[in-house]
Coordinates of all heavy atoms in Angstrom, one line a residue:
M1 N 31.8 -99.2 34.2 CA 31.6 -98.5 33.0 C 30.1 -98.3 32.7 O 29.3 -99.2 32.8 CB 32.3 -99.3 31.8 CG 32.1 -98.7 30.5 SD 32.7 -99.6 29.1 CE 34.2 -100.3 29.7
T2 N 29.8 -97.1 32.3 CA 28.3 -96.8 32.0 C 28.0 -97.4 30.7 O 28.8 -97.7 29.8 CB 28.1 -95.3 32.1 OG1 28.7 -94.7 30.9 CG2 28.5 -94.7 33.4
D3 N 26.7 -97.5 30.4 CA 26.2 -97.9 29.1 C 26.7 -97.0 28.0 O 27.0 -97.4 26.9 CB 24.7 -98.0 29.1 CG 24.1 -99.2 29.9 OD1 24.9 -100.1 30.2 OD2 22.9 -99.1 30.2
Q4 N 26.6 -95.7 28.4 CA 27.1 -94.7 27.4 C 28.6 -94.8 27.1 O 28.9 -94.8 25.9 CB 26.8 -93.3 28.1 CG 27.0 -92.1 27.2 CD 26.7 -90.9 27.9 OE1 27.3 -90.5 28.9 NE2 25.6 -90.2 27.5
E5 N 29.4 -95.1 28.1 CA 30.8 -95.3 27.8 C 31.0 -96.6 27.0 O 31.9 -96.6 26.1 CB 31.6 -95.4 29.1 CG 31.7 -94.0 29.8 CD 32.2 -94.1 31.3 OE1 32.1 -95.2 31.9 OE2 32.6 -93.1 31.8
F6 N 30.2 -97.6 27.3 CA 30.3 -98.8 26.5 C 30.0 -98.6 25.0 O 30.7 -99.1 24.1 CB 29.3 -99.9 27.1 CG 29.4 -101.2 26.4 CD1 30.3 -102.1 26.8 CD2 28.5 -101.5 25.4 CE1 30.4 -103.4 26.2 CE2 28.6 -102.7 24.8 CZ 29.5 -103.7 25.1
E7 N 29.0 -97.8 24.8 CA 28.6 -97.5 23.4 C 29.7 -96.7 22.7 O 29.9 -96.9 21.5 CB 27.3 -96.7 23.4 CG 26.1 -97.5 23.7 CD 24.8 -96.7 23.8 OE1 24.8 -95.5 23.3 OE2 23.8 -97.1 24.4
I8 N 30.3 -95.8 23.4 CA 31.4 -95.0 22.8 C 32.6 -95.9 22.4 O 33.1 -95.9 21.3 CB 31.9 -93.9 23.7 CG1 30.8 -92.8 23.9 CG2 33.2 -93.3 23.2 CD1 31.1 -91.8 25.0
L9 N 33.0 -96.8 23.4 CA 34.0 -97.7 23.1 C 33.7 -98.6 21.9 O 34.6 -99.0 21.1 CB 34.3 -98.6 24.3 CG 35.3 -98.1 25.3 CD1 35.5 -99.0 26.5 CD2 36.7 -97.8 24.7
D10 N 32.5 -99.0 21.8 CA 32.0 -99.8 20.7 C 32.3 -99.2 19.3 O 32.6 -99.9 18.3 CB 30.5 -100.0 20.8 CG 30.0 -101.3 20.1 OD1 30.8 -102.3 20.2 OD2 28.9 -101.3 19.6
E11 N 32.4 -97.8 19.3 CA 32.7 -97.1 18.1 C 34.2 -96.9 17.9 O 34.6 -96.4 16.8 CB 32.0 -95.7 18.1 CG 30.5 -95.8 18.1 CD 29.9 -96.4 16.8 OE1 30.5 -96.3 15.8 OE2 28.8 -97.0 16.9
L12 N 35.0 -97.2 18.9 CA 36.4 -96.8 18.8 C 37.4 -98.0 18.5 O 38.5 -97.9 18.9 CB 36.8 -96.0 20.1 CG 36.1 -94.7 20.2 CD1 36.5 -94.0 21.5 CD2 36.3 -93.8 19.1
Y13 N 36.9 -99.0 17.9 CA 37.8 -100.1 17.5 C 38.7 -99.5 16.3 O 39.8 -100.1 16.1 CB 37.0 -101.3 17.0 CG 36.6 -102.2 18.1 CD1 35.7 -101.8 19.1 CD2 37.2 -103.4 18.3 CE1 35.3 -102.6 20.1 CE2 36.8 -104.3 19.3 CZ 35.9 -103.8 20.2 OH 35.5 -104.6 21.3
F14 N 38.3 -98.5 15.7 CA 39.1 -97.8 14.6 C 39.0 -96.3 15.0 O 38.1 -95.9 15.7 CB 38.4 -98.1 13.2 CG 38.4 -99.5 12.9 CD1 37.2 -100.3 13.0 CD2 39.5 -100.2 12.4 CE1 37.2 -101.6 12.7 CE2 39.5 -101.5 12.0 CZ 38.3 -102.2 12.2
V15 N 40.0 -95.6 14.5 CA 40.1 -94.2 14.7 C 38.8 -93.5 14.2 O 38.3 -93.7 13.1 CB 41.3 -93.6 14.0 CG1 41.3 -92.0 14.1 CG2 42.6 -94.1 14.5
T16 N 38.2 -92.7 15.1 CA 37.0 -92.0 14.9 C 37.1 -90.6 15.4 O 37.6 -90.3 16.5 CB 35.8 -92.7 15.6 OG1 35.8 -94.1 15.2 CG2 34.5 -92.2 15.2
S17 N 36.5 -89.7 14.6 CA 36.6 -88.2 15.0 C 35.5 -87.9 16.0 O 34.5 -88.7 16.1 CB 36.4 -87.3 13.8 OG 35.1 -87.4 13.3
F18 N 35.6 -86.8 16.7 CA 34.6 -86.4 17.7 C 33.3 -86.2 17.0 O 32.3 -86.6 17.4 CB 35.1 -85.1 18.3 CG 34.2 -84.5 19.3 CD1 34.3 -84.9 20.7 CD2 33.1 -83.7 19.0 CE1 33.5 -84.4 21.7 CE2 32.2 -83.2 20.0 CZ 32.4 -83.6 21.3
E19 N 33.3 -85.6 15.8 CA 32.1 -85.3 15.1 C 31.4 -86.6 14.6 O 30.2 -86.7 14.7 CB 32.4 -84.4 13.9 CG 32.8 -83.0 14.3 CD 33.1 -82.1 13.2 OE1 33.3 -82.5 12.0 OE2 33.2 -80.8 13.4
E20 N 32.2 -87.6 14.2 CA 31.6 -88.8 13.8 C 30.9 -89.5 15.0 O 29.8 -90.1 14.9 CB 32.7 -89.8 13.2 CG 33.2 -89.4 11.9 CD 34.3 -90.4 11.4 OE1 35.4 -90.2 11.9 OE2 34.0 -91.3 10.7
L21 N 31.6 -89.5 16.1 CA 31.0 -90.0 17.4 C 29.7 -89.4 17.7 O 28.7 -90.0 18.0 CB 32.0 -89.9 18.5 CG 33.1 -90.9 18.7 CD1 34.0 -90.5 19.8 CD2 32.6 -92.3 18.9
Q22 N 29.7 -88.1 17.7 CA 28.5 -87.3 18.0 C 27.4 -87.6 17.1 O 26.3 -87.8 17.5 CB 28.9 -85.8 17.9 CG 27.8 -84.9 18.5 CD 28.2 -83.5 18.6 OE1 29.1 -83.1 17.9 NE2 27.5 -82.7 19.3
E23 N 27.7 -87.8 15.8 CA 26.7 -88.1 14.8 C 26.1 -89.5 15.0 O 24.9 -89.7 15.0 CB 27.2 -87.9 13.4 CG 26.2 -88.2 12.3 CD 26.8 -88.0 10.9 OE1 27.5 -86.9 10.7 OE2 26.6 -88.9 10.1
K24 N 27.0 -90.5 15.2 CA 26.6 -91.9 15.3 C 25.8 -92.1 16.6 O 24.9 -92.9 16.6 CB 27.8 -92.8 15.2 CG 28.4 -93.0 13.9 CD 29.6 -93.9 13.9 CE 30.2 -94.1 12.5 NZ 31.4 -95.0 12.6
L25 N 26.2 -91.5 17.7 CA 25.6 -91.8 19.0 C 24.5 -90.8 19.3 O 23.7 -91.1 20.2 CB 26.7 -91.7 20.1 CG 27.9 -92.7 19.9 CD1 29.0 -92.4 20.9 CD2 27.3 -94.1 20.1
G26 N 24.4 -89.7 18.6 CA 23.3 -88.8 18.8 C 23.4 -88.1 20.1 O 22.4 -87.7 20.7
M27 N 24.6 -87.9 20.6 CA 24.8 -87.2 21.9 C 25.1 -85.7 21.7 O 25.7 -85.3 20.8 CB 26.0 -87.9 22.6 CG 25.8 -89.3 23.0 SD 27.3 -90.1 23.6 CE 27.5 -89.3 25.1
E28 N 24.6 -85.0 22.7 CA 25.0 -83.5 22.8 C 26.5 -83.4 23.1 O 27.1 -84.2 23.7 CB 24.1 -82.9 23.9 CG 22.7 -82.9 23.6 CD 22.3 -82.1 22.4 OE1 22.9 -81.0 22.1 OE2 21.3 -82.5 21.7
E29 N 27.1 -82.3 22.6 CA 28.5 -82.1 22.7 C 29.0 -82.2 24.2 O 29.9 -82.9 24.5 CB 28.9 -80.8 22.1 CG 30.4 -80.6 22.1 CD 30.9 -79.5 21.2 OE1 30.2 -79.1 20.3 OE2 32.0 -79.0 21.5
P30 N 28.3 -81.4 25.1 CA 28.8 -81.5 26.5 C 28.8 -82.9 27.1 O 29.7 -83.3 27.8 CB 27.9 -80.6 27.3 CG 27.3 -79.7 26.2 CD 27.2 -80.5 25.0
E31 N 27.7 -83.6 26.8 CA 27.6 -85.0 27.3 C 28.6 -85.9 26.7 O 29.2 -86.7 27.5 CB 26.2 -85.5 26.9 CG 25.8 -86.9 27.3 CD 24.4 -87.3 26.8 OE1 24.0 -86.8 25.7 OE2 23.8 -88.1 27.5
L32 N 28.9 -85.8 25.4 CA 30.0 -86.6 24.8 C 31.3 -86.3 25.4 O 32.1 -87.1 25.7 CB 29.9 -86.4 23.3 CG 31.0 -87.2 22.5 CD1 30.9 -88.7 22.8 CD2 30.8 -86.9 21.0
R33 N 31.6 -85.0 25.5 CA 32.9 -84.6 26.1 C 33.1 -85.2 27.5 O 34.2 -85.6 27.8 CB 33.0 -83.0 26.2 CG 33.3 -82.4 24.9 CD 33.4 -80.8 25.1 NE 33.5 -80.1 23.9 CZ 34.6 -79.7 23.4 NH1 35.8 -79.9 24.0 NH2 34.7 -79.1 22.2
E34 N 32.1 -85.1 28.3 CA 32.2 -85.6 29.7 C 32.5 -87.1 29.7 O 33.3 -87.7 30.4 CB 31.0 -85.3 30.5 CG 31.1 -85.6 32.0 CD 32.2 -84.8 32.6 OE1 32.5 -83.6 32.2 OE2 32.9 -85.4 33.5
A35 N 31.8 -87.9 28.8 CA 32.0 -89.3 28.7 C 33.4 -89.6 28.2 O 34.0 -90.6 28.7 CB 30.9 -89.9 27.8
L36 N 33.8 -88.9 27.2 CA 35.2 -89.1 26.7 C 36.2 -88.8 27.8 O 37.2 -89.6 27.9 CB 35.4 -88.2 25.5 CG 34.7 -88.6 24.2 CD1 34.8 -87.5 23.2 CD2 35.2 -89.9 23.7
R37 N 36.0 -87.8 28.6 CA 37.0 -87.5 29.7 C 37.0 -88.7 30.6 O 38.1 -89.0 31.1 CB 36.5 -86.2 30.4 CG 36.9 -85.0 29.8 CD 36.6 -83.8 30.7 NE 36.7 -82.5 30.0 CZ 35.7 -81.8 29.6 NH1 34.5 -82.2 29.8 NH2 35.9 -80.7 28.9
G38 N 35.9 -89.3 30.9 CA 35.9 -90.4 31.8 C 36.7 -91.6 31.3 O 37.4 -92.2 32.0
L39 N 36.5 -91.9 30.0 CA 37.2 -93.0 29.3 C 38.7 -92.7 29.3 O 39.5 -93.6 29.4 CB 36.6 -93.2 27.9 CG 35.2 -93.8 27.9 CD1 34.6 -93.7 26.5 CD2 35.2 -95.3 28.4
I40 N 39.0 -91.5 29.0 CA 40.5 -91.1 29.0 C 41.1 -91.3 30.4 O 42.2 -91.8 30.5 CB 40.6 -89.6 28.5 CG1 40.2 -89.5 27.0 CG2 42.0 -89.1 28.7 CD1 40.0 -88.1 26.5
S41 N 40.4 -90.9 31.4 CA 40.9 -91.0 32.8 C 41.1 -92.4 33.2 O 41.9 -92.7 34.0 CB 40.0 -90.3 33.8 OG 38.8 -91.0 34.0
M42 N 40.3 -93.3 32.6 CA 40.5 -94.8 32.9 C 41.5 -95.4 32.0 O 41.7 -96.7 32.0 CB 39.1 -95.5 32.7 CG 38.1 -95.1 33.8 SD 36.6 -96.0 33.7 CE 35.7 -95.1 32.4
N43 N 42.1 -94.7 31.1 CA 43.0 -95.1 30.1 C 42.4 -96.1 29.1 O 43.0 -97.1 28.6 CB 44.3 -95.8 30.8 CG 45.4 -95.9 29.8 OD1 45.7 -95.1 29.0 ND2 46.1 -97.0 29.9
Y44 N 41.1 -95.9 28.8 CA 40.4 -96.8 27.8 C 40.5 -96.3 26.4 O 40.2 -97.0 25.5 CB 39.0 -97.0 28.3 CG 38.8 -97.8 29.5 CD1 37.5 -97.9 30.1 CD2 39.8 -98.5 30.1 CE1 37.3 -98.7 31.2 CE2 39.6 -99.3 31.2 CZ 38.4 -99.4 31.8 OH 38.2 -100.2 32.9
I45 N 40.8 -95.0 26.3 CA 40.9 -94.4 24.9 C 42.1 -93.5 24.9 O 42.5 -93.0 25.9 CB 39.6 -93.7 24.4 CG1 39.3 -92.5 25.3 CG2 38.5 -94.6 24.3 CD1 38.1 -91.7 24.8
K46 N 42.6 -93.3 23.7 CA 43.7 -92.3 23.5 C 43.2 -91.2 22.6 O 42.3 -91.4 21.7 CB 45.0 -93.0 23.0 CG 44.9 -93.8 21.8 CD 46.2 -94.4 21.5 CE 46.1 -95.4 20.4 NZ 47.4 -96.1 20.1
C47 N 43.9 -90.1 22.7 CA 43.5 -88.9 21.9 C 44.5 -88.7 20.8 O 45.7 -88.9 21.0 CB 43.6 -87.6 22.8 SG 42.5 -87.6 24.2
L48 N 44.0 -88.3 19.6 CA 44.8 -88.1 18.5 C 44.5 -86.7 18.0 O 43.3 -86.3 17.8 CB 44.5 -89.1 17.4 CG 44.6 -90.6 17.9 CD1 43.9 -91.5 16.9 CD2 46.1 -91.0 18.0
F49 N 45.5 -85.9 17.7 CA 45.3 -84.5 17.3 C 46.6 -84.0 16.7 O 47.7 -84.3 17.3 CB 44.9 -83.6 18.5 CG 44.7 -82.2 18.1 CD1 43.4 -81.8 17.7 CD2 45.7 -81.3 18.2 CE1 43.2 -80.5 17.3 CE2 45.5 -80.0 17.9 CZ 44.2 -79.5 17.4
P50 N 46.7 -83.3 15.7 CA 45.7 -82.7 14.9 C 45.2 -83.7 13.7 O 44.3 -83.3 13.0 CB 46.3 -81.5 14.3 CG 47.7 -81.8 14.1 CD 48.0 -82.8 15.3
D51 N 45.8 -84.8 13.7 CA 45.4 -85.8 12.6 C 45.2 -87.2 13.3 O 45.4 -87.3 14.5 CB 46.4 -85.8 11.5 CG 47.8 -86.1 12.0 OD1 48.0 -87.1 12.7 OD2 48.8 -85.3 11.7
Q52 N 44.9 -88.1 12.5 CA 44.6 -89.5 12.9 C 45.8 -90.3 13.4 O 45.6 -91.3 13.9 CB 43.8 -90.2 11.9 CG 42.5 -89.6 11.5 CD 41.8 -90.4 10.4 OE1 42.1 -91.6 10.2 NE2 40.8 -89.8 9.8
D53 N 47.0 -89.7 13.1 CA 48.2 -90.5 13.4 C 49.0 -90.0 14.5 O 50.0 -90.5 14.8 CB 49.0 -90.5 12.1 CG 48.3 -91.2 10.9 OD1 47.7 -92.3 11.2 OD2 48.4 -90.7 9.8
T54 N 48.6 -88.9 15.1 CA 49.4 -88.2 16.1 C 48.8 -88.3 17.5 O 47.8 -87.6 17.7 CB 49.7 -86.7 15.7 OG1 50.2 -86.7 14.4 CG2 50.7 -86.1 16.7
E55 N 49.3 -89.2 18.3 CA 48.8 -89.3 19.7 C 49.3 -88.2 20.5 O 50.5 -87.8 20.5 CB 49.2 -90.6 20.3 CG 48.6 -90.9 21.6 CD 48.9 -92.3 22.2 OE1 49.5 -93.1 21.5 OE2 48.5 -92.5 23.4
V56 N 48.4 -87.6 21.3 CA 48.8 -86.5 22.2 C 48.3 -86.8 23.6 O 47.3 -87.5 23.8 CB 48.1 -85.1 21.8 CG1 48.7 -84.7 20.5 CG2 46.6 -85.2 21.7
P57 N 49.1 -86.4 24.6 CA 48.6 -86.6 26.0 C 47.4 -85.7 26.2 O 47.2 -84.6 25.6 CB 49.8 -86.1 26.9 CG 50.6 -85.3 26.0 CD 50.3 -85.7 24.6
F58 N 46.5 -86.2 27.1 CA 45.2 -85.4 27.4 C 45.6 -84.1 28.1 O 46.2 -84.1 29.2 CB 44.3 -86.3 28.2 CG 43.0 -85.6 28.4 CD1 42.1 -85.3 27.4 CD2 42.6 -85.1 29.7 CE1 40.9 -84.6 27.6 CE2 41.4 -84.5 29.9 CZ 40.6 -84.2 28.9
D59 N 45.1 -83.0 27.6 CA 45.2 -81.7 28.2 C 43.8 -81.1 28.3 O 43.2 -80.8 27.3 CB 46.1 -80.8 27.3 CG 46.2 -79.4 27.8 OD1 45.4 -79.0 28.7 OD2 47.1 -78.7 27.3
P60 N 43.3 -81.1 29.5 CA 41.9 -80.6 29.7 C 41.6 -79.2 29.1 O 40.5 -79.0 28.5 CB 41.7 -80.6 31.2 CG 42.8 -81.4 31.8 CD 43.9 -81.4 30.8
D61 N 42.5 -78.3 29.1 CA 42.3 -77.0 28.6 C 42.2 -77.0 27.1 O 41.4 -76.4 26.5 CB 43.4 -76.0 29.0 CG 43.4 -75.7 30.5 OD1 42.3 -75.8 31.1 OD2 44.4 -75.5 31.1
H62 N 43.2 -77.8 26.5 CA 43.2 -77.9 25.0 C 41.9 -78.6 24.5 O 41.3 -78.3 23.5 CB 44.5 -78.6 24.5 CG 44.6 -78.5 23.0 ND1 44.3 -79.6 22.2 CD2 45.1 -77.5 22.2 CE1 44.5 -79.2 21.0 NE2 45.0 -78.0 21.0
F63 N 41.6 -79.7 25.3 CA 40.4 -80.4 24.9 C 39.1 -79.6 25.0 O 38.2 -79.7 24.2 CB 40.2 -81.6 25.9 CG 39.1 -82.6 25.5 CD1 39.1 -83.3 24.3 CD2 38.0 -82.7 26.3 CE1 38.1 -84.2 24.0 CE2 37.0 -83.5 26.0 CZ 37.0 -84.3 24.8
A64 N 39.1 -78.7 26.0 CA 37.9 -77.8 26.1 C 37.8 -76.8 24.9 O 36.7 -76.5 24.4 CB 38.0 -77.0 27.4
R65 N 39.0 -76.4 24.4 CA 39.0 -75.5 23.2 C 38.8 -76.2 21.9 O 38.2 -75.8 21.0 CB 40.3 -74.7 23.2 CG 40.4 -73.6 24.3 CD 41.6 -72.7 24.1 NE 42.8 -73.5 23.7 CZ 43.7 -74.0 24.6 NH1 43.5 -73.8 25.8 NH2 44.8 -74.6 24.1
E66 N 39.6 -77.3 21.7 CA 39.7 -78.0 20.4 C 39.2 -79.4 20.4 O 39.4 -80.1 19.4 CB 41.2 -78.0 20.0 CG 41.9 -76.7 20.0 CD 41.4 -75.8 18.9 OE1 40.9 -76.3 17.9 OE2 41.5 -74.6 19.0
G67 N 38.5 -79.9 21.4 CA 38.0 -81.3 21.5 C 37.2 -81.7 20.3 O 37.3 -82.9 19.9
H68 N 36.5 -80.8 19.7 CA 35.7 -81.1 18.5 C 36.5 -81.5 17.3 O 36.0 -82.0 16.3 CB 34.7 -80.0 18.2 CG 35.4 -78.7 17.8 ND1 36.0 -77.9 18.7 CD2 35.6 -78.2 16.6 CE1 36.5 -76.9 18.1 NE2 36.3 -77.0 16.8
L69 N 37.8 -81.2 17.4 CA 38.7 -81.6 16.3 C 39.5 -82.8 16.5 O 40.3 -83.2 15.7 CB 39.7 -80.4 16.0 CG 39.0 -79.1 15.6 CD1 40.0 -78.0 15.5 CD2 38.3 -79.2 14.3
Y70 N 39.4 -83.4 17.7 CA 40.1 -84.6 18.1 C 39.6 -85.9 17.4 O 38.5 -85.9 16.9 CB 40.0 -84.9 19.6 CG 40.9 -84.1 20.5 CD1 41.2 -82.8 20.3 CD2 41.5 -84.7 21.6 CE1 42.0 -82.1 21.1 CE2 42.3 -84.0 22.5 CZ 42.6 -82.7 22.2 OH 43.4 -82.0 23.1
F71 N 40.5 -86.8 17.3 CA 40.2 -88.2 16.9 C 40.4 -89.1 18.2 O 41.2 -88.7 19.0 CB 41.1 -88.7 15.8 CG 40.9 -87.9 14.5 CD1 41.6 -86.7 14.3 CD2 40.0 -88.3 13.6 CE1 41.4 -86.0 13.1 CE2 39.8 -87.6 12.4 CZ 40.5 -86.4 12.2
F72 N 39.8 -90.2 18.2 CA 39.9 -91.1 19.4 C 40.1 -92.6 18.9 O 39.6 -92.9 17.8 CB 38.7 -91.0 20.3 CG 38.5 -89.6 20.8 CD1 37.6 -88.8 20.1 CD2 39.1 -89.1 21.9 CE1 37.4 -87.5 20.5 CE2 39.0 -87.8 22.3 CZ 38.1 -87.0 21.6
L73 N 40.7 -93.4 19.7 CA 40.9 -94.8 19.5 C 41.0 -95.5 20.8 O 41.6 -95.0 21.7 CB 42.2 -95.0 18.7 CG 42.5 -96.5 18.3 CD1 41.5 -97.0 17.3 CD2 43.9 -96.5 17.7
A74 N 40.3 -96.6 20.9 CA 40.3 -97.4 22.1 C 41.7 -98.0 22.3 O 42.4 -98.3 21.4 CB 39.3 -98.6 22.0
T75 N 42.2 -98.0 23.6 CA 43.4 -98.6 23.9 C 43.2 -100.1 24.1 O 42.1 -100.6 24.1 CB 44.0 -98.1 25.3 OG1 43.0 -98.4 26.3 CG2 44.2 -96.5 25.2
K76 N 44.3 -100.8 24.2 CA 44.2 -102.3 24.5 C 43.4 -102.6 25.7 O 42.6 -103.4 25.8 CB 45.6 -102.9 24.6 CG 45.7 -104.4 24.8 CD 47.1 -104.9 24.8 CE 47.1 -106.4 25.0 NZ 48.4 -106.9 25.1
E77 N 43.7 -101.8 26.8 CA 43.0 -101.9 28.0 C 41.5 -101.7 27.8 O 40.6 -102.4 28.4 CB 43.5 -101.0 29.1 CG 42.9 -101.1 30.4 CD 43.6 -100.2 31.4 OE1 44.6 -99.5 31.1 OE2 43.0 -100.1 32.6
G78 N 41.2 -100.7 27.1 CA 39.8 -100.3 26.8 C 39.1 -101.4 26.0 O 37.9 -101.8 26.3
L79 N 39.7 -102.0 25.0 CA 39.2 -103.1 24.2 C 38.9 -104.3 25.1 O 37.9 -105.0 25.0 CB 40.1 -103.4 23.0 CG 40.2 -102.3 22.0 CD1 41.2 -102.7 20.9 CD2 38.8 -102.0 21.3
L80 N 39.9 -104.6 25.9 CA 39.7 -105.8 26.8 C 38.5 -105.6 27.8 O 37.7 -106.5 27.9 CB 41.0 -106.1 27.6 CG 42.2 -106.6 26.8 CD1 43.5 -106.6 27.7 CD2 41.9 -108.0 26.3
T81 N 38.4 -104.5 28.3 CA 37.3 -104.2 29.2 C 36.0 -104.2 28.5 O 35.0 -104.8 29.0 CB 37.5 -102.8 29.9 OG1 38.8 -102.8 30.6 CG2 36.4 -102.5 30.9
H82 N 36.0 -103.7 27.3 CA 34.8 -103.7 26.5 C 34.3 -105.1 26.2 O 33.2 -105.4 26.2 CB 35.0 -102.9 25.2 CG 33.9 -102.7 24.3 ND1 33.7 -103.6 23.2 CD2 32.8 -101.9 24.3 CE1 32.6 -103.2 22.6 NE2 32.0 -102.2 23.2
N83 N 35.3 -105.9 25.8 CA 35.0 -107.3 25.4 C 34.6 -108.2 26.6 O 33.9 -109.2 26.4 CB 36.1 -107.9 24.6 CG 36.3 -107.3 23.3 OD1 35.3 -107.0 22.6 ND2 37.5 -107.2 22.8
L84 N 35.0 -107.8 27.8 CA 34.6 -108.6 29.0 C 33.2 -108.4 29.5 O 32.7 -109.1 30.3 CB 35.6 -108.4 30.1 CG 37.0 -109.0 29.8 CD1 38.0 -108.6 30.9 CD2 37.0 -110.5 29.7
R85 N 32.7 -107.3 29.0 CA 31.3 -106.9 29.5 C 30.2 -107.7 28.8 O 30.2 -108.0 27.7 CB 31.1 -105.4 29.3 CG 29.8 -105.0 29.9 CD 29.7 -103.5 30.0 NE 28.4 -103.2 30.4 CZ 27.8 -102.0 30.2 NH1 28.5 -101.0 29.7 NH2 26.6 -101.7 30.6

């Protein structure tokens, strides 16, 4: 896990929107999207859309169009990995 991914997971102990992540971490949108894709592929975070209570499977095309409206939350696996580092 990269330092960047670690920092993202650090923010996802609670549901957080894409925009909040971007603001807190000061990352450019393309950079944040790429890091989130990596965490999703490792099953460390889950995607919520269109609201904070609805989990959706990751769809790269939809994420490319609507990713700025997503919410994210660390999975149990993601939290365990984050805490072991």
Side-chain angles (χ1 to χ4, degrees):
M1 176 184 322
T2 67
D3 289 341
Q4 190 176 61
E5 291 168 337
F6 183 85
E7 289 175 17
I8 292 170
L9 272 179
D10 206 36
E11 297 294 332
L12 296 179
Y13 276 69
F14 300 97
V15 175
T16 306
S17 71
F18 183 92
E19 290 178 350
E20 287 176 280
L21 278 175
Q22 191 175 15
E23 184 179 310
K24 286 181 181 179
L25 299 171
M27 296 172 67
E28 297 293 326
E29 187 171 334
E31 180 183 30
L32 179 55
R33 282 180 186 263
E34 191 59 37
L36 289 167
R37 279 189 193 101
L39 290 166
I40 292 165
S41 72
M42 292 183 277
N43 196 38
Y44 289 172
I45 61 174
K46 56 185 171 181
C47 301
L48 307 164
F49 181 86
D51 55 54
Q52 298 181 19
D53 299 318
T54 308
E55 185 176 353
V56 294
F58 181 69
D59 175 347
D61 293 330
H62 190 261
F63 185 69
R65 288 188 316 272
E66 304 291 335
H68 63 285
L69 299 175
Y70 276 41
F71 296 87
F72 303 93
L73 181 65
T75 63
K76 182 178 179 180
E77 184 179 353
L79 292 174
L80 288 172
T81 302
H82 181 262
N83 288 325
L84 290 174
R85 185 169 172 199

